[in-house]
Amino acid sequence: MGDAVISDFDSGFDRRALLAVELIDAVGGQLVSRGVGVRANVLRRAPIVSRSGRFVWLREEDRWPTQIDVDVGRLPYEKTSRSVKRPADIDKPTPAERVVTIVLQPTQAYDFPDGVTALRGCVLDGNGTQASPVQGARVSLLSSTKDFGDAVMPRPVSITAEDGGFFFFLPGVARDLERPLSNGYPPRFLPVVLQVEHAGQTRVTGAKFRFLEGAPPGCIREGMPLRATVALKWWVMEPGAQ
């Protein structure tokens, strides 16, 4: 992992501090500092990890990085990079220029806690007796209802991996989970449609598609990760809008 030094250096900057990076878990919102490596190009020295869990670089003459690279190691996050713009005056950067926030997106290996709506699946092509995973398909999660109060329903997209796998998580669909939806769906279930784009075609899960045994057709359990893998069989999915 990175060679950052653990220190009591706090988030309050002194004259030696140049730049700080904070890594935020996209699911829980907490700072992540253990098990990750953070590097800033141009800068020669490793960052200091402050007591608050931020990565802090000290001044190196007039150097200012143009890119931050995050190596997540074995943690269940996507590897990521972030461009950094040099301030007009590095002696007087604004707070927004001095603190870079990077949100770490979870991978399929992430252990989602209860209270988070999450869905794992895979896309298969072929037929009923011989099927193979589809890599590089674009899978979109669409809501089939607008009854979410003032909340905006996220529409995440996932690109299938080599094993055909994909996943989504919804960081917060705020509504009364005990209240039935106006279109008759029971409490705690979220009606969705999965759209798959593959080989120049688009197909969707229909209204009768069952994501989970015991759940209404076309619904996932809201506020609870779906532990099982949902298989989307390309040859039985319904044609979608092109």
Side-chain angles (χ1 to χ4, degrees):
M1 256 324 76
D3 47 2
V5 178
I6 303 298
S7 169
D8 289 336
F9 190 93
D10 204 354
S11 56
F13 292 101
D14 63 19
R15 287 179 297 177
R16 297 179 302 148
L18 177 72
L19 181 73
V21 169
E22 56 182 19
L23 305 178
I24 307 294
D25 180 293
V27 180
Q30 70 271 19
L31 284 171
V32 178
S33 59
R34 296 184 180 274
V36 295
V38 184
R39 299 186 182 278
N41 70 339
V42 179
L43 300 181
R44 298 172 180 174
R45 302 189 188 97
I48 297 168
V49 179
S50 73
R51 287 179 298 184
S52 59
R54 294 171 175 83
F55 295 82
V56 181
W57 284 265
L58 303 182
R59 287 288 301 266
E60 295 182 21
E61 300 172 344
D62 65 344
R63 294 187 179 93
W64 188 279
T66 59
Q67 181 169 304
I68 305 295
D69 295 314
V70 180
D71 180 0
V72 297
R74 297 183 178 182
L75 296 182
Y77 300 108
E78 299 285 353
K79 184 178 179 181
T80 186
S81 297
R82 170 80 175 271
S83 297
V84 180
K85 184 178 180 180
R86 182 185 177 94
D89 185 353
I90 67 170
D91 292 321
K92 297 179 180 179
T94 66
E97 293 170 329
R98 219 169 189 185
V99 180
V100 177
T101 301
I102 298 176
V103 179
L104 298 179
Q105 298 297 329
T107 65
Q108 294 187 60
Y110 193 98
D111 185 16
F112 289 95
D114 288 342
V116 176
T117 305
L119 171 67
R120 289 184 176 91
C122 65
V123 177
L124 302 173
D125 200 356
N127 54 51
T129 57
Q130 290 185 329
S132 57
V134 177
Q135 181 180 6
R138 178 184 173 91
V139 186
S140 306
L141 189 151
L142 310 176
S143 169
S144 61
T145 179
K146 296 182 178 179
D147 190 3
F148 293 99
D150 296 329
V152 176
M153 176 64 186
R155 294 197 171 193
V157 173
S158 181
I159 305 300
T160 56
E162 185 176 353
D163 61 356
F166 66 89
F167 87 101
F168 302 104
F169 83 98
L170 307 181
V173 179
R175 69 177 184 86
D176 182 359
L177 297 181
E178 302 299 335
R179 177 179 61 83
L181 296 175
S182 60
N183 55 8
Y185 286 99
R188 293 190 174 274
F189 286 100
L190 179 66
V192 297
V193 172
L194 293 186
Q195 175 179 280
V196 180
E197 299 170 68
H198 165 56
Q201 299 182 51
T202 301
R203 296 189 181 181
V204 298
T205 56
K208 296 182 179 180
F209 186 88
R210 192 171 293 278
F211 291 95
L212 180 67
E213 288 298 324
C219 289
I220 61 177
R221 186 68 182 263
E222 190 172 357
M224 180 178 293
L226 184 54
R227 307 295 182 184
T229 298
V230 177
L232 300 185
K233 301 174 181 178
W234 180 258
W235 64 93
V236 298
M237 294 182 70
E238 300 179 2
Q242 301 295 320

